[in-house]
Amino acid sequence: MCGRFTLFVDPKDLMEAFPGFALPVEWTPRYNIAPTQPVAVIPNNGQNKIEFFRWGLIPSWAKDPAIGNRMINARAETVADKPSFRAAFQRRRCLVLADGFYEWRKEAGRTAKTPMYIRLKSGKPFAFAGLWETWRAPDEETVYSCNIITTEPNTLVAKIHNRMPVILEREAYDLWLDPAEQSPERLDAWLKPYPAEQMTAYAVSRFVNNPSNDSAECIVPAT
């Protein structure tokens, strides 16, 4: 699964990576983004701007928004068929913006896992493949939520975890953000592990284990 990631890149670099999309006025570097928190997304709603959606998909038919706490990820292998994700996969897709993510590696003979920080070697921001939904609360408030699609790991991440988030190639952005309904077959072609040779990973301290810790200390290499 993907349960924690970062987005602290300079806004200028973000605009270079995602040209043509308006950046929110308020922008705060994030080093430890966790489920249920607001995440930066570009939804395929034709607005051409970066918005903040709640991480944890809440289907429109849900009676309780807490269901989103269990739906932070969707598996690439079943996303086209699962009732909770099927319609969003065809009609409501988004780019979830990031510049790195964390996974926890099991260590032989130890119960405590080692947090690992994984990013592109270039250090540039990228986009996870995501889905989004709208949910109407009893008080008529509209909640916008999203999740991240995961797939089998590449050779780098496989040494750390048995899943990884889908990082979309830039060539996939136009299709992913097309407001028109898309066939699962066209979308499936992009739900693949990102090339391992373009990524790097290193151990960080357990400081990151606490989601309330959200500072640059989270990504400092462990000593």
Side-chain angles (χ1 to χ4, degrees):
M1 64 177 291
C2 176
R4 218 74 72 75
F5 65 97
T6 65
L7 184 60
F8 57 84
V9 70
D10 187 288
K12 292 182 180 179
D13 294 330
L14 194 66
M15 291 297 90
E16 287 182 5
F18 301 96
F21 297 99
L23 189 72
V25 175
E26 295 185 5
W27 187 261
T28 303
R30 296 294 312 279
Y31 295 89
N32 198 5
I33 301 170
T36 75
Q37 296 178 355
V39 298
V41 304
I42 300 175
N44 68 333
N45 58 9
Q47 297 298 309
N48 294 329
K49 63 180 181 179
I50 298 172
E51 305 180 45
F52 289 100
F53 287 5
R54 182 186 188 274
W55 185 11
L57 197 76
I58 307 171
S60 59
W61 44 260
K63 291 183 171 58
D64 187 342
I67 192 175
N69 301 347
R70 306 191 302 274
M71 295 202 290
I72 64 170
N73 294 155
R75 294 176 67 92
E77 298 87 343
T78 57
V79 66
D81 302 316
K82 290 279 187 179
S84 298
F85 307 134
R86 183 171 54 218
F89 185 52
Q90 295 181 43
R91 306 186 191 103
R92 290 178 293 280
R93 297 170 300 278
C94 63
L95 305 181
V96 180
L97 309 188
D99 50 21
F101 62 97
Y102 302 97
E103 291 293 1
W104 278 255
R105 184 179 65 192
K106 292 182 179 180
E107 306 292 353
R110 297 171 57 185
T111 55
K113 296 180 180 179
T114 299
M116 303 289 294
Y117 184 57
I118 307 163
R119 61 175 177 80
L120 302 188
K121 287 181 178 178
S122 66
K124 293 181 178 180
F126 52 82
F128 296 132
L131 309 176
W132 66 278
E133 282 282 9
T134 58
W135 181 78
R136 186 65 61 86
D139 63 1
E140 298 303 311
E141 177 191 7
T142 299
V143 178
Y144 294 88
S145 63
C146 66
N147 68 2
I148 295 169
I149 299 176
T150 66
T151 187
E152 60 185 18
N154 59 28
T155 54
L156 174 74
V157 180
K159 300 173 184 177
I160 303 168
H161 199 268
N162 63 358
R163 302 290 295 176
M164 71 175 292
V166 172
I167 298 175
L168 288 172
E169 302 278 0
R170 292 195 179 192
E171 293 79 7
Y173 291 178
D174 287 346
L175 173 65
W176 206 258
L177 294 179
D178 190 335
E181 182 171 325
Q182 298 294 332
S183 69
E185 290 75 21
R186 289 193 71 194
L187 300 169
D188 282 343
W190 296 103
L191 302 183
K192 56 188 179 181
Y194 200 78
E197 63 273 14
Q198 297 182 34
M199 304 181 71
T200 186
Y202 61 86
V204 295
S205 78
R206 294 192 180 92
F207 180 79
V208 74
N209 289 4
N210 186 340
S212 65
N213 294 333
D214 190 5
S215 68
E217 186 176 344
C218 291
I219 61 168
V220 174
T223 56

